[in-house]
Amino acid sequence: MYVRGVGPRVAELLAAKGIQTAEDLLYHLPFRYEDRQNPRSLDELKPGETASVIAEVRGAALLRTRRMPLFEITVGQGRLALKCIWFNATYLNGKFHAGQTVALYGKVEPSRSSSNLKMIQPQFELLPDASDDAETRLLEVGRITPVYESLGGSRLASRWQRKVIFHLLEGMRGAAPECLPREMLSRLELPGREQALREAHFPPEGTPLVHLQSAATPAHRRLIFEELFFLELGLELKRRKMRRRVGIAFATSDKVREAIREVLPFHPTAAQKRALAEIVSDMRQPHPMRRLLQGDVGSGKTIVALQAMIVAMENGYQTALMAPTEILATQHFLAARKLLERSSRKPRIALLTGSLDDDRKRRARGQINRGEAQLVIGTHALIEEKVEFDRLGLVVVDEQHRFGVLQRFKLMKKPNQPEPDVLVMTATPIPRTLALSLYGDLDVSILDELPPGRTPIVTRRVADERAGEVWDFVRREVAKKRQAYIVYPVIEGSKEDQPELDFSRDDPESGIEKPSQPSKRRGSRGKTAELFPGSAQEASPGAKSGLKSATEMYEKLSAGPLAGLRVALLHGRLDADEKEIAMRRFQRGEIDVLVATTVIEVGVDVPNATVMVIEHAERFGLAQLHQLRGRVGRGAARSYCILVTGERVTPQGEERLNAMVRTQDGFELAELDLAQRGPGEFFGTRQAGLPDFRVANLVRDRQLLELAKVEAERFANANGTGAGNGREGTDAERARVWARLKEAWQRRYGLVEAG
Ligand code: ADP
Ligand code: MG
């Protein structure tokens, strides 16, 4: 399609921003709006607020201070004036002239030198005057004006987009194809597509600005609903398709129940019982299970999974448990072995991880292939090493945030066998409604209850200087026969700031960033990854060099403050044996203090450990802090989480630390995490194979997500395989929905299978 203003060079720039078609451009909505019809008066401005104003340029000057050049302009309305300052902005010199009208957007600050207010580094736009053409004036002033994120420097900034989008909209007046049935739209009281696009870009006079800014106008709601509807419809179809695939119908008999009872070391909680019932009911179905088991740290997911695995084994099938790290795989291996010792059947358990020596790997592969190993525990090596199971019945993926892997289980079974059931366990406490809507192709079970007898963990924040007191405290706890973890953000040295990265070894394609390229994670929403906090925005170069590392502190602590205690070091770069030994000795109580990196973040379970010290706590993300804290408080004794912080803590860091001290509720923390990082980072959408949205925002638009899910189910029910009742819309409309679905999924999700 020919678009005025878009030649080959511009098209290239746009493509770099993911804008390939005219439609992509139309769905690039303004990120804010300025009311240039009723502009604010300068005397209404209050220090602290973020405001947009229109005023006349009075004067401009480039000031050379000792530290940097400052560019300053003064703007006014009548007798009122406002000063604006930009740092290092030599490039602005000559851009402003007295008498011009300028629109400014920024935070209003009190000015020290005078009673006037000022703005530091505001966004600005020079407004057209009588010498500009009528169209420019029409789009820029005297209306609610859209402001866009630039699609390429100043050339493709707001002004350019307004024009191009205006022409696109004019060009398709009355001809834009609708992709949702009219009946649905009128039932939901949503406007048509063309009207919605037009009004989201060029809001009609009188549209309340607050509605625009919060994307709550009917136009916005329609476009957001549309996007979420096609997401949900696609997920719904995937789920239906899964139900049609051939799986294994496991049987549950008294014999199976007895096999479970034999090994259960305690009474399951009501939540565990409920979850297991849901899982087993799936397993009995003749189609493959795809279920997510979600529960906060310590809620007891592992035992639920093991019970499901026993069901599969009792049916004569092999099962596999896949953990994200070798440490965790090893721990599961040891725990499963201990648990199943009580089983009268004594299933054979095999461990397979990437860094086992070739001999052990070969042996494990053979046992798995010949069906001699009934329970296989491993890392991604299970997929990478091309292990072919003899009779695979159930795969459990622990702490798995990367769902792309789901597709690859097919590799693990022999070609002519039915698909295994899959259970994914996650400790990311996603609010239930979000989980249900998002993982539309997974069913969800939630453990919302902790096993009895846990004492709340005491969480304290301590400044760096008082570390001495922390070590004394650790000594006192050890004297009481307890154990402690001390966690650092990096493995060694400050040269390269190596965050712990155990996954990467096993799975080079995991999509997890290497520390050397932190900038890739800066999404279009301007959020920075917290997976390796401090790697980009939060750390100033000065702060980095002062970073304590696990290796260095292990030496220091064992020689100094913790001398005489049995201290060990654990991080992802040790080889598998070393990790296993350290973990095993800590588990047996042969080590008092484990100095570690975040390798111990997930899953590690040593109930006798009562102290978790996290150094540089301000640098960790909230999910990580919560996971780390979850390593203690697993026994009956009182446990402590001590957050040691440096002097420079960002406001966001403060918020995280305060939240940690305030609450232990994973869901509450998840809400804050979600708010801080934005949905893209929070869900790790790229890893999860979920889309980056064009207009929707999962935090802001939860209600619409719910609505979209309901509507998608309704649509799929009514228009599925020939069922005539409740049909909505005409045949042509339905055909357009399906066509659009295919298109949306191909474009956004790269999957063709949705249709
Ligand atoms: P999660 O993986 O969900 O973080 P785990 O499965 O590691 O939690 O369980 C945490 C701890 O609680 C383990 O020590 C486990 O043995 C114990 N546990 C699990 N379920 C129960 C229960 N019903 N009663 C008592 N202890 C339990
Ligand atoms: Mg676990």
Side-chain angles (χ1 to χ4, degrees):
M1 175 178 185
Y2 170 75
V3 180
R4 202 173 121 179
V6 180
R9 247 199 60 62
V10 167
E12 215 170 282
L13 288 172
L14 293 179
K17 295 273 182 179
I19 299 205
Q20 316 268 8
T21 62
E23 188 197 287
D24 289 339
L25 203 50
L26 285 173
Y27 280 85
H28 188 247
L29 297 190
F31 76 101
R32 67 182 176 86
Y33 299 82
E34 283 183 10
D35 187 352
R36 294 186 184 168
Q37 195 168 25
N38 311 292
R40 303 272 303 273
S41 159
L42 285 182
D43 61 359
E44 291 169 24
L45 300 185
K46 306 246 174 335
E49 72 169 325
T50 301
S52 79
V53 295
I54 293 179
E56 189 187 293
V57 177
R58 295 275 160 80
L62 182 67
L63 310 173
R64 302 220 169 256
T65 69
R66 231 181 329 139
R67 290 185 50 208
M68 66 181 95
L70 286 182
F71 188 77
E72 190 182 286
I73 65 172
T74 307
V75 299
Q77 287 171 349
R79 298 220 313 280
L80 302 163
L82 176 75
K83 196 178 272 185
C84 302
I85 295 167
W86 290 268
F87 304 116
N88 286 318
T90 329
Y91 62 92
L92 289 179
N93 208 10
K95 199 165 173 80
F96 296 91
H97 304 288
Q100 282 173 324
T101 310
V102 61
L104 295 151
Y105 175 78
K107 192 167 169 207
V108 181
E109 317 254 3
S111 175
R112 231 177 290 160
S113 54
S114 67
S115 60
N116 288 336
L117 298 171
K118 67 178 178 194
M119 281 185 177
I120 312 274
Q121 313 253 79
Q123 298 173 28
F124 70 91
E125 218 175 336
L126 285 168
L127 297 188
D129 56 29
S131 70
D132 283 287
D133 60 88
E135 184 184 287
T136 303
R137 288 206 306 274
L138 167 78
L139 297 179
E140 304 278 320
V141 289
R143 61 153 62 240
I144 298 176
T145 310
V147 181
Y148 300 90
E149 250 176 64
S150 171
L151 292 172
S154 55
R155 167 124 164 64
L156 304 187
S158 285
R159 184 158 292 165
W160 180 85
Q161 290 181 62
R162 283 175 204 132
K163 285 202 172 186
V164 172
I165 289 169
F166 180 76
H167 285 290
L168 276 175
L169 288 167
E170 285 305 300
M172 66 180 205
R173 198 173 266 282
E178 179 54 79
C179 55
L180 296 171
R182 287 273 151 212
E183 256 177 80
M184 181 189 291
L185 292 176
S186 65
R187 185 161 44 76
L188 302 176
E189 297 179 6
L190 294 172
R193 182 153 170 257
E194 183 178 329
Q195 184 191 345
L197 284 169
R198 190 179 305 282
E199 295 188 353
H201 287 285
F202 297 103
E205 209 174 297
T207 310
L209 219 57
V210 285
H211 291 180
L212 287 166
Q213 305 295 29
S214 53
T217 66
H220 281 96
R221 287 172 53 81
R222 143 77 210 219
L223 296 173
I224 294 164
F225 173 81
E226 176 189 315
E227 182 164 41
L228 296 174
F229 174 79
F230 286 106
L231 166 72
E232 292 295 344
L233 187 57
L235 291 172
E236 176 67 24
L237 292 191
K238 279 180 89 174
R239 187 155 57 176
R240 281 165 193 245
K241 203 163 156 186
M242 187 58 70
R243 279 191 217 123
R244 290 196 300 269
R245 293 234 279 265
V246 179
I248 306 159
F250 293 99
T252 48
S253 58
D254 287 343
K255 185 181 75 116
V256 175
R257 271 183 280 275
E258 179 49 35
I260 290 178
R261 229 184 336 263
E262 243 175 21
V263 300
L264 257 191
F266 30 59
H267 292 292
T269 62
Q272 284 172 321
K273 279 189 201 154
R274 194 180 343 109
L276 183 67
E278 289 166 359
I279 292 165
V280 171
S281 139
D282 277 7
M283 290 177 69
R284 293 164 54 100
Q285 304 293 320
H287 52 74
M289 167 172 79
R290 291 290 180 273
R291 187 170 277 275
L292 180 73
L293 175 59
Q294 193 193 325
D296 208 346
V297 278
S299 57
K301 294 182 288 295
T302 317
I303 194 78
V304 175
L306 272 171
Q307 293 176 77
M309 294 172 94
I310 291 174
V311 173
M313 289 189 285
E314 285 297 315
N315 277 265
Y317 284 88
Q318 291 170 292
T319 70
L321 172 65
M322 215 162 99
T325 66
E326 297 203 340
I327 291 174
L328 203 48
T330 307
Q331 177 187 284
H332 280 317
F333 175 69
L334 298 174
R337 210 164 58 179
K338 193 164 145 208
L339 200 73
L340 295 174
E341 253 165 28
R342 311 201 220 181
S343 150
S344 44
R345 291 175 186 66
K346 305 245 181 313
R348 180 104 160 242
I349 311 176
L351 177 69
L352 183 65
T353 64
S355 58
L356 289 181
D357 61 50
D358 288 347
D359 239 26
R360 273 177 78 184
K361 272 191 203 163
R362 200 168 319 123
R363 218 171 330 130
R365 266 204 310 263
Q367 289 174 348
I368 296 167
N369 190 265
R370 291 189 299 272
E372 291 159 19
Q374 282 97 53
L375 203 167
V376 179
I377 296 179
T379 54
H380 263 76
L382 287 178
I383 292 175
E384 258 118 51
E385 301 277 334
K386 308 220 173 12
V387 191
E388 212 176 52
F389 282 69
D390 183 44
R391 231 166 108 77
L392 182 59
L394 170 68
V395 181
V396 178
V397 191
D398 187 15
E399 310 288 359
Q400 178 58 264
H401 304 261
R402 292 157 292 145
F403 286 68
V405 84
L406 282 183
Q407 319 301 332
R408 300 164 66 187
F409 289 131
K410 293 193 192 94
L411 299 176
M412 290 163 60
K413 68 170 182 73
K414 289 192 173 156
N416 297 320
Q417 292 187 349
E419 258 186 80
D421 283 351
V422 176
L423 179 67
V424 179
M425 300 196 284
T426 175
T428 309
I430 305 163
R432 184 174 193 117
T433 52
L434 264 186
L436 286 170
S437 315
L438 257 182
Y439 301 111
D441 57 341
L442 300 183
D443 295 297
V444 182
S445 293
I446 297 191
L447 296 182
D448 50 7
E449 181 185 358
L450 294 181
R454 303 272 171 89
T455 332
I457 301 167
V458 178
T459 303
R460 292 263 185 282
R461 181 177 165 185
V462 174
D464 223 3
E465 310 83 88
R466 294 176 54 192
E469 292 167 49
V470 175
W471 310 138
D472 287 345
F473 179 73
V474 169
R475 296 193 78 101
R476 284 203 298 280
E477 283 291 300
V478 170
K480 289 192 232 160
K481 299 270 176 288
R482 311 252 189 262
Q483 292 162 282
Y485 301 94
I486 306 176
V487 176
Y488 293 89
V490 293
I491 298 176
E492 67 189 329
S494 45
K495 281 181 300 224
E496 221 202 316
D497 257 22
Q498 319 257 3
E500 186 50 77
L501 229 161
D502 203 60
F503 293 30
S504 62
R505 262 247 293 260
D506 280 339
D507 179 17
E509 301 161 9
S510 67
I512 293 197
E513 241 77 34
K514 306 300 178 282
S516 56
Q517 39 179 215
S519 58
K520 214 173 92 193
R521 278 214 153 228
R522 280 174 198 254
S524 57
R525 289 173 193 87
K527 301 278 183 187
T528 305
E530 289 283 46
L531 194 55
F532 305 117
S535 56
Q537 270 178 358
E538 296 210 30
S540 68
K544 258 190 183 170
S545 56
L547 205 58
K548 290 180 250 178
S549 73
T551 310
E552 164 197 51
M553 287 306 289
Y554 164 70
E555 311 269 328
K556 274 199 189 148
L557 290 171
S558 23
L562 301 181
L565 305 189
R566 297 167 301 173
V567 185
L569 175 66
L570 182 63
H571 58 69
R573 277 207 240 124
L574 300 177
D575 68 38
D577 286 344
E578 292 173 301
K579 281 183 214 164
E580 190 177 324
I581 290 166
M583 212 45 240
R584 217 188 276 239
R585 295 184 61 209
F586 190 69
Q587 232 144 18
R588 290 206 204 108
E590 294 164 15
I591 287 170
D592 303 313
V593 179
L594 196 59
V595 176
T597 56
T598 53
V599 274
I600 60 152
E601 171 183 338
V602 283
V604 171
D605 183 37
V606 180
N608 191 49
T610 55
V611 186
M612 168 61 66
V613 179
I614 306 173
E615 290 233 62
H616 297 295
E618 73 279 4
R619 301 176 67 98
F620 290 83
L622 206 42
Q624 269 183 324
L625 290 172
H626 180 60
Q627 285 292 330
L628 286 170
R629 177 166 61 184
R631 298 309 116 214
V632 297
R634 299 184 151 243
R638 181 172 288 286
S639 287
Y640 303 84
C641 174
I642 304 172
L643 306 169
V644 184
T645 59
E647 46 193 279
R648 302 171 107 253
V649 181
T650 61
Q652 287 215 336
E654 285 291 337
E655 221 182 326
R656 290 195 293 271
L657 295 166
N658 290 340
M660 282 293 291
V661 172
R662 180 179 69 238
T663 180
Q664 213 175 309
D665 179 342
F667 286 90
E668 190 181 334
L669 293 172
E671 293 278 349
L672 176 61
D673 200 22
L674 192 55
Q676 278 201 354
R677 294 197 292 166
E681 292 295 342
F682 180 89
F683 293 111
T685 45
R686 210 170 311 141
Q687 288 103 295
L690 286 166
D692 275 332
F693 293 101
R694 301 205 280 198
V695 290
N697 170 322
L698 290 182
V699 182
R700 184 191 65 198
D701 303 324
R702 264 188 232 182
Q703 278 177 335
L704 283 172
L705 183 66
E706 279 303 290
L707 181 65
K709 182 175 167 63
V710 172
E711 288 297 327
E713 260 168 52
R714 178 180 168 137
F715 185 87
N717 278 335
N719 300 302
T721 47
N725 53 332
R727 283 193 173 217
E728 203 163 43
T730 64
D731 285 343
E733 282 182 324
R734 280 193 299 275
R736 272 205 296 277
V737 170
W738 297 125
R740 174 77 182 172
L741 175 73
K742 211 160 195 164
E743 196 186 293
W745 274 67
Q746 276 170 8
R747 188 188 57 239
R748 308 301 301 177
Y749 317 74
L751 296 174
V752 192
E753 55 178 315

